[in-house]
Structure formats: structure tokens, C-alpha cells
Amino acid sequence: MFSERIRALVPRISMVSKDSIYITKFDNFMSKIPLPSSYSIVSMKPLKENFLFVLDSRLVFVIISVMFGGPAKPFKVEGRDFTRLETKIISDFVTIALDTFEDIWKEFYPIKIDLKSIELNPSLARIVSPNDKVIVVECMDIEGYEAPFFFCFPQDLFLPIKDMIFSETGFTKKDPVWDRELIRKLKHLKLNLHLELERKKIKVKELVNWQVGDKILLSTTKGDKILLYVENRPKFKAKMGKIKDKYAALITDIAIERNKNGRGEAESISTGNGAEQYNGKSAE
């Protein structure tokens, strides 16, 4: 869900993955974060203690780079503070991440996320004592480059709901959240369709001489079966037709695979119960 939402801010983020979860001392964790970085102090009511949401400077610089057409690769950090633009990007990223975090948790245990502050000075982001243990969740992977962000939870934060978290029954049941999200995405899925009237081989020297008004002769007739592609894969055989003023395709068979000669043929199986009218989209 977060990957889908964050693409509204940075379309080129293809995947966000959980890299590791580990327990360490708070001071050890903070010492590994390069400067500058962003430290969001967050409460998770009704749980009492605050946690940290940390954006590594490499993540911020990767986002800035790809937003302005550069590579998904962090540029050199000079130890400077974040600019106003970078601070705005950080704020938007944090908002999207925490909103998603809250939505997911509400299905498991009702919480209310409250962003206390976003600090750039690590000394102002000490949520526990240096020697206290924390649970660190590291997430990364933007276009294959190292660009991490972290959740840092005090180890005692989840004690009030420890039994619920470690209950095996919660993991053996069917997950209604996953089902709802999957169904929602399927219903809103958009697919590109096109009909392949014919395949022709021509020489490049012929192609470059084409001009507006030139005619390309096709051997396809009205009754011929042609391939209907879904996302560039041949899925159906169909006959061309018209519904009112729009072109349409009447599905007659299901195309299994394109044959090896690449000439637009496909093995097919009959639908068995007659042809089906394809009228979800017009095909031109």
C-alpha cells in the first residue's frame, strides 16, 4: 500500500521492501545514521512511548534526483543541512508513510499516529536512554539503489499488546485486510487492449519513404479471426465488427500462446458456449 501511495510523490519508486529487523542499543543505532538525516518523533496512542521514523540522507537525495530527471542514485553528501525543498519532500514522504502505517495497524490493533516533530539534529531525537534497547525495522530498495529509511521502536513499546502480537491464531486465519485490498486493486485495474489486424514484413528503405495518404493493403477480411491482445499478450481470438459508431471485437476463442513462427497465429480453445461479445472497450 505504501509503495502505491508513494508513487504519487515519486513515480519512479518501483518497490519498497523490508530489508531487516534487529534489536540493538539506541546509541548504536543513532551512530550509524549519516548526517544530515531526518528524525520524526511519533506517538502511537494508546501505547505510551514514542518511536522514531528516520529518513536517511541517501533516501532524500535519491528522491530529489529522480524527481528532477536524474538517476536513482544519491549524490555526494557534503555534511550540510537540508534545503527548504528537501525539507518539504521529507515532510510529504513522512506524511504518506505514517498515514499508511496507521491504516495498516487499525486492522490489527486500533492506534492513532501523532507526528510530534521532525528533527534534523539527532541530539533532539533521543526517545530513550543511549543504552536502552530498540527494535529497528530497516526498509530500502529504490530502483535497486541503497536508499534506506528506518522505524525505531523502544523495546518496551509493545509490551501492553505482546500477547496479541505473538499469538499464532492471528497468523493462521485468513487475512481479511489482504483480501479486501486485493479485490479493490483488481476492480480498479486498467488494461490496454489492441487488435492485431495483420503482420507484415517490410524493408526499412520502404518504411522511410511512407507519406501521408499512402495505402497499406491488408488481407484480413470481415470474417477472419484476429488476435486480441491484453497488455501486449495474445489472449483471445475475435472477429471484427461494429456497435453503433464504434469498432468492436466478438470473442470466439481463447488464445493460449503465440506459435514459434511469430506470424500472429495462436493456439486456441473454444469457449464452448458460443461467442462472447466484447463490449468493455472499443478497439480501433
Side-chain angles (χ1 to χ4, degrees):
M1 288 178 65
F2 174 68
S3 297
E4 182 178 287
R5 293 178 181 183
I6 202 63
R7 287 192 194 103
L9 177 66
V10 191
R12 283 181 60 186
I13 293 184
S14 59
M15 179 61 68
V16 178
S17 62
K18 180 182 66 181
D19 189 57
S20 61
I21 300 178
Y22 55 90
I23 296 176
T24 186
K25 290 183 179 180
F26 181 66
D27 199 45
N28 291 341
F29 166 69
M30 294 292 281
S31 65
K32 294 179 180 180
I33 306 298
L35 295 176
S37 287
S38 163
Y39 305 85
S40 299
I41 302 175
V42 186
S43 69
M44 190 173 173
K45 299 176 182 178
L47 304 180
K48 293 182 179 180
E49 299 185 60
N50 296 329
F51 70 87
L52 282 183
F53 180 59
V54 182
L55 298 190
D56 191 304
S57 55
R58 289 168 290 180
L59 171 70
V60 178
F61 296 146
V62 165
I63 291 176
I64 293 293
S65 178
V66 299
M67 286 185 71
F68 288 92
K73 193 173 184 179
F75 46 83
K76 187 176 180 181
V77 180
E78 301 291 349
R80 59 171 176 79
D81 292 335
F82 288 121
T83 65
R84 290 179 63 183
L85 172 63
E86 290 162 353
T87 303
K88 178 64 169 65
I89 296 300
I90 289 170
S91 177
D92 291 344
F93 191 98
V94 169
T95 298
I96 294 171
L98 295 182
D99 284 349
T100 309
F101 184 88
E102 183 179 72
D103 289 345
I104 295 300
W105 264 85
K106 281 181 178 178
E107 300 292 343
F108 173 71
Y109 182 78
I111 63 165
K112 177 63 179 177
I113 291 295
D114 183 19
L115 177 59
K116 298 288 188 180
S117 64
I118 298 179
E119 305 292 346
L120 303 181
N121 185 344
S123 62
L124 300 177
R126 296 197 172 274
I127 55 173
V128 293
S129 299
N131 289 325
D132 285 352
K133 289 186 177 181
V134 290
I135 304 168
V136 178
V137 181
E138 181 175 350
C139 304
M140 59 190 305
D141 189 10
I142 295 182
E143 298 282 311
Y145 289 96
E146 186 178 355
F149 60 92
F150 307 87
F151 289 92
C152 176
F153 303 102
Q155 191 175 31
D156 294 338
L157 176 65
F158 300 110
L159 282 180
I161 56 173
K162 180 180 178 181
D163 293 340
M164 185 181 298
I165 291 175
F166 289 99
S167 171
E168 292 186 3
T169 57
F171 298 97
T172 56
K173 295 179 180 178
K174 191 175 181 179
D175 186 357
V177 181
W178 173 257
D179 286 351
R180 286 200 298 270
E181 184 63 16
L182 181 61
I183 292 171
R184 184 187 69 81
K185 288 187 175 183
L186 284 174
K187 287 183 176 179
H188 290 83
L189 189 65
K190 294 182 179 179
L191 299 171
N192 294 315
L193 308 183
H194 73 268
L195 289 167
E196 182 181 278
L197 295 179
E198 188 169 338
R199 284 186 173 235
K200 281 181 172 289
K201 288 186 178 180
I202 61 169
K203 295 181 179 179
V204 174
K205 64 180 181 181
E206 297 175 2
L207 178 63
V208 296
N209 290 326
W210 282 0
Q211 297 180 0
V212 176
D214 287 351
K215 295 182 179 180
I216 303 171
L217 299 178
L218 304 177
S219 60
T220 305
T221 62
K222 184 177 179 181
D224 289 345
K225 291 183 180 180
I226 55 179
L227 285 178
L228 174 61
Y229 283 74
V230 180
E231 293 294 337
N232 296 319
R233 295 291 299 273
K235 292 296 181 182
F236 304 102
K237 282 191 172 182
K239 292 183 179 181
M240 281 290 293
K242 269 194 173 185
I243 298 178
K244 296 182 179 178
D245 59 341
K246 293 184 178 180
Y247 289 103
L250 183 69
I251 295 175
T252 58
D253 299 283
I254 299 173
I256 303 301
E257 289 290 343
R258 174 181 294 280
N259 67 10
K260 295 180 181 180
N261 62 24
R263 297 181 182 274
E265 296 291 338
E267 296 179 9
S268 64
I269 59 175
S270 174
T271 56
N273 55 357
E276 299 179 21
Q277 179 74 47
Y278 172 74
N279 54 16
K281 288 185 178 180
S282 64
E284 294 183 358

